[in-house]
Amino acid sequence: MKSFEKLLMENKKWASDKQKIDPNFFKHLAKEQKPEFLWIGCSDSRVPAELIVNAEPGEMFIHRNIANQMVATDFNCLSVLQYAVAVLKVKHIIVCGHYNCGGVKAALNNQSTDLVLTNKWLMHIKNVYRLHQKEVNALATEQERIDRLVELNVIEQVKTLAYTSIIQQAWHEESRPIIHGWVYGLSDGLLKTLISMEPGHEIEPIFKYDYTEAVA
Ligand code: CO
């Protein structure tokens, strides 16, 4: 059997197992989705969003990219964010990074790469490093520097979310969502909380929109 055929076979088994437990499982799911969570995670195959939190289909709206970045000019991420916040009305957004992230590791070194798109994507993480280089450079080992930058990267993405008009408008009008920054340990399978921002959290004045008037 070829590797991709195993996926199709496993899918049949999974669908039939779900039907056995609850004959209406797919009927209910097919009608609509009402996820409470938007998850922004890394594309890394070792951090499967639903699996590590034991979530079922329908529970999480998911966006994943290299090194779990929220880039305010990335239409892909912004579209997911807008839909999740304005239409699905999620209550929580989780940015989840993971230790020993290959994207963060690559951003921390100076090796040139043939991956001309990837190295530009990683420039955003080099900027996170630039903001915190004193703290990162003070750490003794490369592993510690990578793992701290992983954490700082999550925190910066949470802030970037709060800087968007999409979030600020939802905070202003509906007092949601709460934004969480978590990090996942590849070696122990555990999540750790790094930061959370509730509606109304004080943000840098230059990023604050004035909602006494409409903002585009
Ligand atoms: Co990663």
Side-chain angles (χ1 to χ4, degrees):
M1 188 192 300
K2 291 185 176 122
S3 57
F4 71 90
E5 288 172 337
K6 181 172 176 285
L7 299 182
L8 294 169
M9 193 190 78
E10 289 293 341
N11 166 255
K12 280 204 186 86
K13 186 180 174 303
W14 174 80
S16 112
D17 286 350
K18 286 282 176 203
Q19 293 259 28
K20 266 180 221 154
I21 297 165
D22 176 6
N24 291 318
F25 183 77
F26 292 107
K27 210 190 265 175
H28 286 149
L29 266 181
K31 266 191 216 150
E32 61 170 348
Q33 61 165 338
K34 273 189 182 166
E36 201 177 311
F37 308 99
L38 164 62
W39 178 280
I40 300 173
C42 183
S43 299
D44 194 306
S45 62
R46 298 164 297 177
V47 197
E50 288 103 332
L51 274 180
I52 63 172
V53 292
N54 221 2
E56 288 292 327
E59 284 190 65
M60 298 205 299
F61 202 60
I62 293 182
H63 178 78
R64 288 169 70 180
N65 62 39
I66 292 176
N68 42 271
Q69 295 184 73
M70 168 65 221
V71 175
T73 50
D74 171 17
F75 281 174
N76 185 350
C77 194
L78 284 173
S79 304
V80 170
L81 176 67
Q82 185 170 45
Y83 191 77
V85 172
V87 180
L88 298 174
K89 302 198 176 288
V90 295
K91 293 181 183 144
H92 302 272
I93 299 176
I94 295 148
V95 178
C96 184
H98 66 99
Y99 290 122
N100 214 21
C101 179
V104 172
K105 209 191 260 184
L108 248 191
N109 73 48
N110 298 98
Q111 274 169 12
S112 175
T113 167
D114 291 336
L115 303 173
V116 291
L117 292 177
T118 312
N119 66 19
K120 282 161 194 65
W121 183 248
L122 296 178
M123 279 175 73
H124 299 289
I125 299 176
K126 287 182 186 283
N127 272 327
V128 176
Y129 167 75
R130 188 165 52 83
L131 279 173
H132 301 279
Q133 54 184 310
K134 238 188 200 164
E135 180 189 341
V136 174
N137 289 348
L139 294 164
T141 66
E142 198 198 354
Q143 195 59 54
E144 285 174 289
R145 290 193 286 275
I146 292 165
D147 287 344
R148 183 57 186 150
L149 190 56
V150 161
E151 294 176 351
L152 292 165
N153 181 49
V154 168
I155 292 166
E156 287 299 325
Q157 307 316 310
V158 167
K159 287 183 185 170
T160 304
L161 280 164
Y163 296 158
T164 66
S165 56
I166 296 167
I167 291 294
Q168 288 182 36
Q169 191 174 359
W171 277 5
H172 176 74
E173 290 173 2
E174 297 179 40
S175 270
R176 63 166 183 86
I178 300 172
I179 312 171
H180 309 263
W182 295 351
V183 64
Y184 175 76
L186 291 175
S187 55
D188 61 11
L190 293 174
L191 287 163
K192 191 168 89 181
T193 298
L194 297 170
I195 186 174
S196 80
M197 279 194 188
E198 306 235 350
H201 187 98
E202 205 46 55
I203 55 176
E204 304 254 351
I206 192 69
F207 291 104
K208 207 169 174 180
Y209 294 107
D210 181 358
Y211 276 95
T212 52
E213 289 170 37
V215 173

